[in-house]
């Protein structure tokens, strides 16, 4: 955390962007729309600009237009954004609605060097494409000399992707969760002639770093954002996996509200596809497939046998319901099938085991 937000620690480039080049937002034969006209020369399209004309235009401009412009660019006021922490999990609480924050968060990830791979405002989920942190490449003489021309020849052998989830909180607030998933390229074979992408543990440090950067983007001061993330008060959470003939259960010594938040972040970290959720019933509707095995139960040889394309696996993913039930200061988590019946299978045990590891 001491090196948080250093300029030379993070320099992401999306894998898709590196392979295909930057996307064209506007066709070459059209003019890019001006995103900020605060510094535009007044009456530049009318031939002659006069001081009297500019003054008249400013006084007659509708107040609603000025208010709308201010709302679009106004940062979050001090005291309206804070960090909360539970174990290794952190999240932001912002005094703005998800509808207002959504485009700002999207711009934040794109300006950080990522492409947006999943964008679902209905479920509040935004996920980046796999990207490489180019700052991890050693800056030696050969790299500095040839890297500018043959940049694609250099690789860290690691990829990262981030999922952002927005939850509507109480009193008009929004809770923002950022979860990390990592992959690394491992050489295989007797002569190390082939490679396979395997899962890398999620990095809470990277999650915290991007939370701090997002705080700055939303209006917080850089030094205060770093301190808030590093010194967020820790609440000890205890969870345990209970097994029985009628199905396994994860028990968490927390109230429903906090358990609901942490289960959602745990699902993001593990990589579940959350199709929908019903907070009133405490249900996450997810898709999951054991990526280490094929449909016949045989080992496929790697968690990411195809890192940049998971459409085929998504088609084979089974649907489950992750149910969170609270009773006072204790909550229980069970897995149900798509019909709402308790799932009693090795897959259910594996799902609960994954969640339990994240909730400890």
């Amino acid at each position: 955390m001491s090196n948080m937000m250093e300029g030379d620690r993070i320099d992401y480039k999306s894998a898709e962007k590196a392979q295909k080049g930057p996307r064209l937002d506007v066709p070459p034969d059209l003019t890019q729309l001006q995103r900020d006209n605060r510094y535009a020369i007044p009456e530049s399209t009318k031939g002659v600009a006069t001081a009297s004309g500019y003054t008249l235009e400013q006084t007659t401009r509708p107040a609603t237009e000025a208010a709308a412009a201010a709302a679009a660019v106004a940062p979050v006021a001090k005291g309206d954004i804070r960090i909360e922490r539970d174990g290794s999990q952190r999240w932001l609480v912002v005094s703005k609605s998800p509808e207002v924050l959504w485009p700002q968060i999207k711009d934040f990830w794109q300006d950080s060097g990522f492409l947006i791979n999943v964008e679902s405002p209905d479920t509040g989920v935004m996920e980046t494409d796999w990207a490489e942190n180019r700052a991890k490449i050693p800056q030696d003489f050969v790299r500095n000399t040839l890297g500018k021309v043959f940049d694609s020849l250099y690789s860290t052998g690691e990829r990262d992707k981030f999922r952002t989830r927005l939850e509507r909180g109480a009193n008009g607030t929004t809770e923002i969760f950022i979860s990390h998933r990592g992959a690394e390229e491992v050489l295989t074979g007797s002569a190390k002639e082939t490679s396979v992408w395997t899962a890398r543990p999620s990095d809470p440090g990277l999650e915290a770093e991007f939370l701090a950067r997002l705080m700055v983007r939303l209006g917080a001061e850089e030094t205060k954002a770093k301190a808030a993330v590093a010194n967020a008060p820790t609440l000890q959470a205890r969870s345990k996996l209970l097994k029985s003939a009628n199905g396994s259960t994860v028990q968490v010594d927390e109230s429903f509200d906090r358990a609901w938040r942490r289960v959602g972040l745990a699902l993001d970290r593990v990589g579940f596809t959350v199709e929908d959720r019903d907070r009133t019933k405490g249900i996450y509707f997810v898709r999951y497939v054991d990526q280490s095995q094929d449909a016949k139960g045989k080992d496929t040889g790697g968690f990411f046998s195809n890192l940049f394309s998971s459409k085929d696996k998504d088609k084979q993913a089974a649907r489950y319901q992750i149910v969170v039930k609270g009773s006072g200061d204790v909550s229980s988590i069970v897995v149900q099938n798509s019909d709402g019946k308790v799932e009693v299978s090795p897959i259910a045990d594996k799902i609960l085991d994954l969640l339990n590891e994240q909730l400890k």
Side-chain angles (χ1 to χ4, degrees), residues 104-116:
Q104 300 180 46
I105 294 174
K106 181 178 180 180
D107 289 342
F108 166 76
W109 284 117
Q110 291 177 331
D111 293 344
S112 299
F114 294 87
L115 296 177
I116 304 300

Side-chain angles (χ1 to χ4, degrees), residues 274-293:
V274 180
E275 293 183 324
D276 201 357
R277 58 179 182 262
D278 187 341
R279 185 187 178 101
T280 59
K281 297 181 179 179
I283 302 177
Y284 285 97
F285 299 89
V286 304
R287 284 186 294 144
Y288 175 77
V289 61
D290 188 356
Q291 294 180 323
S292 63
Q293 295 182 344

Side-chain angles (χ1 to χ4, degrees), residues 239-265:
S239 68
K240 53 186 176 182
L241 181 60
L242 306 176
K243 296 186 177 182
S244 68
N246 297 325
S248 301
T249 304
V250 171
Q251 181 176 304
V252 185
D253 295 337
E254 293 180 318
S255 65
F256 170 81
D257 289 338
R258 187 166 291 275
W260 172 264
R261 299 186 189 102
R262 298 191 64 227
V263 168
L265 184 53

Side-chain angles (χ1 to χ4, degrees), residues 181-200:
R181 292 180 65 196
E184 59 183 348
E185 194 173 16
V186 178
L187 297 178
T188 60
S190 57
K192 305 296 183 182
E193 70 278 6
T194 59
S195 63
V196 61
W197 288 97
T198 61
R200 199 171 93 246

